[in-house]
Amino acid sequence: MLINSLLGQDFKPMKNKLNILFSLCLSISLFYSCEQGPQPLQKIITGDISTKVDPGGHAPLTALLSFATDKKATIKIRVDGDIPVERSFTYPNRFHEIPVLGLYPGKDNQVHLTVTTENNKVFEGDLTITTQAISDILPTIEK
């Protein structure tokens, strides 16, 4: 209506083209602004992920991950292997200390980390935690 009153009836075909062009631009910008699928973990983590195997000195097949995120987030980890071990930490926080259980001895253990922000943006990544063979860790038992 406003365009017709400003430009007159002679510009009605142009108004339709402008509406189509505007709709197309809006659709394209919405499509590209919506990020599809999980984003790389590096986009949410501030600094490095600190990994400490056997943090207490008594459980060689465990580790502790320490890291910070840009925004409050929940964490889910999965240790891959014959029997995958998964654990979720559902309290949103920016500073995280995540215990890792279920590591395999003498292996490069693959751990999948999922970080989900309070507005449901998902970030994923994998890391490797190397453990020693149990025979290298346990003392020899004498009879």
Side-chain angles (χ1 to χ4, degrees), residues 40-58:
L41 200 55
Q42 295 79 7
K43 286 190 172 185
I44 189 76
I45 302 290
T46 58
D48 294 326
I49 298 175
S50 169
T51 304
K52 179 152 177 62
V53 177
D54 191 10
H58 302 291

Side-chain angles (χ1 to χ4, degrees), residues 66-137:
S66 301
F67 58 93
T69 51
D70 289 338
K71 296 178 173 57
K72 285 187 175 182
T74 60
I75 309 297
K76 180 179 176 184
I77 63 166
R78 182 185 72 239
V79 178
D80 293 332
D82 295 336
I83 303 171
V85 176
E86 290 188 18
R87 177 121 189 244
S88 295
F89 301 87
T90 57
Y91 184 77
N93 207 337
R94 285 198 53 233
F95 303 99
H96 309 275
E97 286 195 334
I98 306 297
V100 181
L101 308 174
L103 298 174
Y104 290 87
K107 292 196 176 217
D108 291 334
N109 293 271
Q110 297 301 310
V111 178
H112 185 76
L113 193 61
T114 303
V115 177
T116 306
T117 63
E118 291 179 305
N119 62 353
N120 290 321
K121 282 193 173 183
V122 178
F123 302 85
E124 292 184 341
D126 295 311
L127 55 115
T128 302
I129 300 175
T130 303
T131 55
Q132 294 179 346
I134 292 293
S135 60
D136 296 343
I137 300 169

